[in-house]
Amino acid sequence: MTVVDIDRIDMADESNVQTLDAMFEMLENMPVPEGYKVEIVGGSIFMSPQRDTHWEIIRRIVRALEDEFGREVKVKSDVRIDFPGHLNGFCPDVAKVADSASRNAHGQWNPEDVEFIAEVISKSTAANDYGPKKAAYAAAGVPVYLIADPYTGRCRVFTHPKSDDYTTELTVTFGDEINLTATELGLILKTDKFPRD
């Protein structure tokens, strides 16, 4: 994992977008190794390698969403979405946006249109998933946030966002079903085929 800190100056939203645009443009021109995920969390650039286990869990979550909502469901993976806070250009492992959602003037999905986020943790970036990313997802009002942890073999599901936190948390061991029928997502997610690291 590589972390690059930049100057932490409070900026207006438009300035945040412009700065994030410049940072991502710089990253596109850098020799980022193939198979690495790159995102900006609180103004720091994080690069972490994608692993087979990581992808297998992502793929199973995407398939479950397609099985429930059809092949035309708006599911994104590793696509930049700017979330509330200082320089938060996240690229969630899985993001489901509302059917009615459309891209904004910057060509990006709006965080308020995101209905579900799933992150599969890496050891090097787990603190982001449980910390600043969770806070930003809650602040954006993302109704369901799932963290899959292949090291412990557990999923943690956060629902009912309030301010910059979630009021409800559920922990499920790989192999058990995650019942999300009472959430806006309205599905049961099977984890019996989620691999462990």
Side-chain angles (χ1 to χ4, degrees):
M1 174 190 69
T2 303
V3 179
V4 180
D5 279 321
I6 67 161
D7 190 19
R8 296 181 182 268
I9 301 170
D10 286 332
M11 301 177 189
D13 286 345
E14 187 60 32
S15 183
N16 252 348
V17 171
Q18 291 172 354
T19 302
L20 284 168
D21 286 347
M23 291 174 74
F24 275 105
E25 187 174 324
M26 175 190 70
L27 288 167
E28 287 175 10
N29 294 318
M30 290 177 61
V32 175
E34 188 173 330
Y36 273 70
K37 176 180 176 173
V38 179
E39 61 187 345
I40 301 170
V41 179
S44 295
I45 299 169
F46 290 85
M47 290 187 279
S48 57
Q50 296 280 18
R51 300 172 332 278
D52 282 346
T53 300
H54 195 98
W55 168 241
E56 285 300 318
I57 294 171
I58 292 169
R59 186 172 65 89
R60 292 180 190 289
I61 293 170
V62 169
R63 281 195 176 164
L65 293 170
E66 288 179 342
D67 288 348
E68 181 69 23
F69 301 106
R71 298 276 185 223
E72 301 304 314
V73 65
K74 290 183 179 176
V75 175
K76 311 299 169 190
S77 181
D78 291 339
V79 172
R80 174 183 162 193
I81 302 172
D82 294 349
F83 282 90
H86 176 70
L87 297 177
N88 285 327
F90 301 161
C91 302
D93 290 327
V94 179
K96 180 189 178 300
V97 297
D99 290 340
S100 61
S102 58
R103 292 185 180 139
N104 61 28
H106 299 283
Q108 297 173 8
W109 298 102
N110 295 305
E112 60 270 14
D113 291 330
V114 177
E115 299 176 332
F116 170 74
I117 296 273
E119 297 282 9
V120 182
I121 70 159
S122 298
K123 285 183 180 178
S124 59
T125 58
N128 287 339
D129 295 328
Y130 286 110
K133 290 174 81 173
K134 179 181 161 213
Y137 294 151
V142 175
V144 181
Y145 174 39
L146 179 144
I147 298 175
D149 186 338
Y151 304 104
T152 63
R154 291 188 185 131
C155 289
R156 289 175 66 187
V157 182
F158 302 93
T159 57
H160 303 97
K162 184 175 181 181
S163 189
D164 63 351
D165 203 359
Y166 286 91
T167 60
T168 306
E169 179 181 338
L170 171 69
T171 301
V172 176
T173 302
F174 283 14
D176 294 337
E177 293 180 341
I178 302 173
N179 187 338
L180 300 171
T181 55
T183 70
E184 289 185 28
L185 207 55
L187 66 84
I188 293 177
L189 179 64
K190 295 181 179 181
T191 67
D192 57 320
K193 303 252 193 241
F194 282 13
R196 295 180 185 223
D197 257 346

